[in-house]
Amino acid sequence: MDLYPSQEQRDLASAVREVLAGRASGGGGAAPERVWRAAAAQGWFALGLAGADGGLDGTLADEAQVFAGIGAAAAEGPFLATVLAARVAVAAGRRELAEALTSGTLRAAHAFAPLDGSDPVQAYDARGAGVLLLIDEERPGARLVEVPGSAIVADLSSMDPAVSVARLRLDRARVLAEAADAGTVVSRASVLVSAMLAGVAAAATQASVEYAKLREQFGRPIGAFQAISHRCAEMAIRSAAAAAVVDLAAVSVDECRADAPRRVAAARRFTESAALENARVNIQNHGAIGFTWEHDAHRLLKRAWFLALSVQPRDAQTAALLAG
Amino acid sequence: MRLELNAREREFRDRAADWLVKNVPAQARPPSGPDLVAFDREWQLRQYDGGWAGVSWPREYGGAGLSLTEQILWYEQCALFDAPEPGVFSIALGHAGPTLIVEGTEEQKHRHLGPILRGEQVWAQGFSEPGAGSDLAGLRTRAQLDGDELVVRGSKIWTTRAHLSDWQELLVRTEPGARRHRGLSFLIVPMDSPGIDIRPIVTMDGDTPFAEVFYDDVRVPVTNLVGRRGDGWKVAMTTLGFERGTMTLGSVIRLRRLIERVRVLAGERCDRRGRPLLADGETAARLADLESEAVALYALALAFVSEVVHTGRSASGTLIRPFFAELSQRVKRTAADLLGREGLSVDGSRQAAEIVPSYLYSFGHTIGTGTSEVQRNVIAERVLGLPRA
């Protein structure tokens, strides 16, 4: 029993931080080209795939370290959809498609919809993407379809600046791959979404603690006031537990443990609450500057909001957590 | 990171499970009084005879001399098999013993460690005072050197199980000029010393778990000092965070078993219209929240222990206590809510008899061993580096 990250995992986490540090936003949810290329070069998209499938033989716990960093940076770009799409492509035997995704030449958008149903769909990061990962949580099912630019019916204004939102018509979309085991894809997705949420929670804690040491009012740093310092302590508890429960869930999936589904749901729910609460409190801790567009505090809140509505929403979490 | 046990750990766990199946007492723990002490003693002695007392304590003092991982596995298995908790021995096993292992003299170790493991010594902790609760360093009970004895004068309060204890770890002021944390000493005091007067305190659940203790020129040999004179604060804090972390893993598993029982309760009981309580979306969501928090707390405790095993230290021990205290309070509150009007009588049903007192007692969780507010101060200042309030 050991939940301490290995040297490789710690190196990976700091490499991710370095790639994402100080980047300028590509605007409209697009990842800056430099970041995307560096991510592909470091193998973020191939990390969790088996060596025989052109992957790096990493674990889900390894991938979780990467996605915690992506969440903490509130980074733009369809990292998660591209990682999942590559897995679906591999499982369907579409080796070339998988290679295009893992090498970073092809980006994937994603949408939640019944596989043979609603059209048009609301999709995320469709601009600049060549394929769409369609996730049907009810069946469950996961399918990759081609999205030519002409499939975009309308570009919508996104609530979260880290993604773009568009409406797509899929009636003539070519199916490229169908996941045989969509349940696995959804459960891995849930862990990686949790990792990003844990990253958001941690980034909010760090931002509040740094600001509370610097900002002075009434002649002292605001961190000397318990109204602020106690909130920071609560944020620290939530973000530390969020990081730990993601690792616990990821290792449980890696080891195919019987309690993995419950732990994944626990991670998903806990990190969602932690990220939303920490992001909210972080804005309040910053006062008026935290209310501005210029400051990053709102980006964390919007990331948390977006991710909270990703795979495995609350009702599905509840069902998994209360399963006897 | 790995959760799978290696061959040695698996062998240990299976052996522990096998022993617990055969040895966990079938009868319930008596609620209070001498029967309770007898029950806890018997269980502790049975563990000792089976080779399970003090799993990670050194062999030379009667422990099993195994690693921290095995200690945790033991706590986990005890929780899974609903074995009795350390009970009246919780201070002895959780604080006094571990402190003596690190700071005690050879004579002190031999006098206490073996007997503690055999269930022969009940210990109390004499830290809080009427004027020094959250502000523990403001304590005023004095001990003055007189030849080869220290003479203790003052009073302590909220001393758990003082009236049932044989020994006490006592924090006193020995250096009159020194202020606050400096000038304190850590003393071992026999509870039958002349000059000690104990007055039990009735708590809001109707029980008498602790007492006020008065010291009227109580004479204690200087050989009962643990660590050096004036180093008492450091001695008292030596094992505090660490023990909390390791014991919490077992406590969290017990809490998760309680959540499981509450879920079963919510599935069995119905509202006025005959609908199971669990069919109500709000109740289901509340139980799911509790379960997810308990899993997260378990993960946090495991991450803490893992970091200690790898690096010898971890800052996150202090995060665990307030999280655990507040969560366990919410779990018990939820259980009480599910009882509805049945909870208005403490002994009207088996479930009410278990849940109502446990809910009332849970108010102590966020006060004892430092209020939740003091814990937040500690996290803010020592873990996050924020300026002092």
Side-chain angles (χ1 to χ4, degrees):
Chain A
M1 280 200 313
D2 182 7
L3 220 48
Y4 192 67
S6 65
Q7 187 60 50
E8 291 77 20
Q9 286 172 329
R10 279 175 284 149
D11 291 345
L12 183 60
S14 70
V16 170
R17 268 197 301 275
E18 239 167 77
V19 167
L20 295 173
R23 76 197 183 285
S25 166
E33 202 50 44
R34 178 191 68 78
V35 169
W36 194 260
R37 273 202 304 269
Q42 282 194 4
W44 297 6
F45 306 120
L47 183 58
L49 297 173
D53 297 323
L56 296 175
D57 275 328
T59 61
L60 183 58
D62 296 336
E63 287 188 292
Q65 312 305 312
V66 172
F67 279 90
I70 292 170
E76 312 82 357
F79 295 99
L80 180 59
T82 302
V83 161
L84 298 172
R87 178 167 293 274
V88 172
V90 162
R94 297 292 308 266
R95 190 64 183 260
E96 277 168 39
L97 183 58
E99 267 173 28
L101 289 158
T102 53
S103 65
T105 34
L106 186 63
R107 302 186 190 193
H110 75 285
F112 300 100
L115 288 190
D116 304 300
S118 63
D119 194 30
V121 299
Q122 178 166 296
Y124 310 101
D125 289 326
R127 278 284 162 207
V131 293
L132 171 77
L133 174 66
L134 198 57
I135 300 169
D136 178 345
E137 294 173 284
E138 292 309 310
R139 265 172 74 179
R143 172 184 287 174
L144 281 183
V145 299
E146 200 171 34
V147 277
S150 60
I152 298 179
V153 190
D155 288 299
L156 307 174
S157 301
S158 177
M159 175 277 295
D160 175 7
V163 288
S164 69
V165 185
R167 199 169 287 140
L168 304 189
R169 285 199 69 91
L170 297 179
D171 48 354
R172 277 191 294 264
R174 195 156 65 92
V175 176
L176 301 174
E178 184 100 31
D181 184 10
T184 305
V185 175
V186 169
S187 116
R188 295 180 77 95
S190 189
V191 171
L192 298 179
V193 165
S194 305
M196 282 197 274
L197 285 162
V200 169
T205 304
Q206 199 190 341
S208 276
V209 170
E210 279 169 14
Y211 189 67
K213 289 177 188 172
L214 290 176
R215 170 73 175 165
E216 291 193 11
Q217 286 289 274
F218 305 101
R220 50 212 293 225
I222 60 170
F225 298 104
Q226 288 177 326
I228 302 291
S229 69
H230 283 193
R231 282 209 297 248
C232 289
E234 286 156 16
M235 293 171 89
I237 295 170
R238 279 192 292 267
S239 47
V245 76
V246 168
D247 290 340
L248 182 77
V251 178
S252 298
V253 171
D254 282 327
E255 295 180 0
C256 305
R257 295 175 62 93
D259 51 5
R262 191 188 284 240
R263 285 177 169 173
V264 170
R268 180 67 179 78
R269 194 185 200 81
F270 188 84
T271 56
E272 172 179 329
S273 308
L276 283 167
E277 184 61 8
N278 279 12
R280 182 191 72 77
V281 172
N282 185 44
I283 293 173
Q284 182 67 20
N285 285 342
H286 279 80
I289 191 71
F291 181 56
T292 63
W293 187 271
E294 176 199 350
H295 198 277
D296 281 341
H298 70 101
R299 293 175 191 275
L300 293 175
L301 178 85
K302 291 167 181 175
R303 274 284 68 196
W305 186 356
F306 179 88
L307 293 167
L309 295 169
S310 186
V311 283
Q312 205 177 26
R314 280 182 71 83
D315 57 338
Q317 298 161 16
T318 300
L321 284 162
L322 298 185
Chain B
M1 287 190 240
R2 76 181 161 90
L3 295 167
E4 252 162 40
L5 303 180
N6 63 32
R8 203 197 60 208
E9 293 163 351
R10 225 176 8 249
E11 186 272 328
F12 177 87
R13 182 204 55 195
D14 293 346
R15 211 155 43 78
D18 188 51
W19 187 86
L20 285 163
V21 168
K22 296 180 193 130
N23 287 281
V24 168
Q27 70 274 36
R29 188 168 180 257
S32 57
D35 289 353
L36 174 101
V37 182
F39 178 91
D40 287 353
R41 270 186 208 284
E42 203 186 311
W43 170 235
Q44 185 59 36
L45 184 60
R46 198 185 295 187
Q47 290 176 77
Y48 180 83
D49 289 339
W52 300 104
V55 172
S56 63
W57 289 23
R59 288 185 80 92
E60 51 191 308
Y61 306 117
L66 297 172
S67 75
L68 198 57
T69 309
E70 274 117 351
Q71 178 72 72
I72 291 159
L73 286 172
W74 172 248
Y75 286 140
E76 281 202 351
Q77 292 302 308
C78 284
L80 286 171
F81 286 91
D82 289 327
E85 295 191 70
V88 299
F89 298 106
S90 55
I91 298 287
L93 293 165
H95 193 259
T99 302
L100 290 179
I101 290 171
V102 181
E103 300 279 352
T105 63
E106 276 312 302
E107 193 270 329
Q108 289 166 348
K109 291 183 195 180
H110 283 291
R111 184 166 38 148
H112 297 293
L113 295 178
I116 284 175
L117 293 179
R118 291 192 295 272
E120 292 162 9
Q121 292 186 0
V122 178
W123 281 66
Q125 191 171 67
F127 287 5
S128 294
E129 294 184 7
S134 290
D135 182 15
L136 185 59
L139 65 87
R140 294 214 298 250
T141 294
R142 282 183 304 126
Q144 219 164 8
L145 193 62
D146 180 20
D148 53 4
E149 287 179 321
L150 285 154
V151 184
V152 181
R153 195 168 184 84
S155 68
K156 294 284 174 180
I157 196 167
W158 322 127
T159 307
T160 305
R161 289 180 282 269
H163 53 300
L164 303 175
S165 294
D166 310 301
W167 297 87
Q168 179 171 45
E169 40 173 31
L170 192 66
L171 207 49
V172 291
R173 197 162 285 289
T174 44
E175 323 299 306
R179 296 200 58 234
R180 308 281 302 164
H181 308 79
R182 284 178 282 277
L184 301 180
S185 296
F186 190 102
L187 271 182
I188 301 170
V189 180
M191 286 305 276
D192 59 0
S193 308
I196 290 185
D197 182 25
I198 298 169
R199 295 178 206 166
I201 299 169
V202 182
T203 47
M204 62 180 274
D205 56 336
D207 200 3
T208 48
F210 42 58
E212 199 166 4
V213 184
F214 299 89
Y215 308 83
D216 185 11
D217 290 341
V218 175
R219 305 188 79 84
V220 182
V222 286
T223 50
N224 279 19
L225 267 170
V226 181
R228 283 202 310 254
R229 243 179 64 189
D231 276 350
W233 185 266
K234 195 186 104 234
V235 174
M237 299 301 150
T238 304
T239 62
L240 221 48
F242 184 66
E243 282 305 308
R244 278 178 197 172
T246 51
M247 287 189 124
T248 298
L249 270 171
S251 308
V252 173
I253 291 172
R254 286 175 201 271
L255 189 61
R256 287 196 60 201
R257 291 181 68 74
L258 176 61
I259 294 171
E260 171 68 21
R261 292 208 298 280
V262 174
R263 189 182 62 78
V264 169
L265 188 70
E268 287 167 358
R269 300 174 79 87
C270 294
D271 63 13
R272 286 195 308 280
R273 281 152 295 168
R275 225 169 40 128
L277 298 176
L278 201 56
D280 171 52
E282 201 182 312
T283 302
R286 198 170 159 189
L287 288 170
D289 279 336
L290 295 175
E291 172 70 10
S292 79
E293 288 179 84
V295 176
L297 175 57
Y298 173 77
L300 182 63
L302 191 56
F304 162 75
V305 174
S306 305
E307 191 178 359
V308 172
V309 167
H310 279 273
T311 69
R313 52 196 292 277
S314 169
S316 56
T318 52
L319 306 176
I320 294 172
R321 174 70 201 176
F323 187 3
F324 177 75
E326 288 162 30
L327 175 60
S328 106
Q329 226 167 39
R330 281 199 299 281
V331 170
K332 286 161 186 176
R333 168 78 216 192
T334 303
D337 282 348
L338 292 177
L339 286 176
R341 289 183 187 138
E342 194 179 306
L344 298 180
S345 142
V346 180
D347 54 2
S349 71
R350 188 180 54 79
Q351 276 150 347
E354 185 196 341
I355 292 170
V356 175
S358 134
Y359 166 58
L360 294 174
Y361 185 72
S362 78
F363 280 80
H365 296 345
T366 44
I367 299 170
T369 66
T371 63
S372 288
E373 289 70 30
V374 166
Q375 313 264 6
R376 282 167 171 71
N377 284 350
V378 172
I379 295 167
E381 289 165 24
R382 299 206 206 129
V383 181
L384 304 178
L386 289 172
R388 279 188 68 96

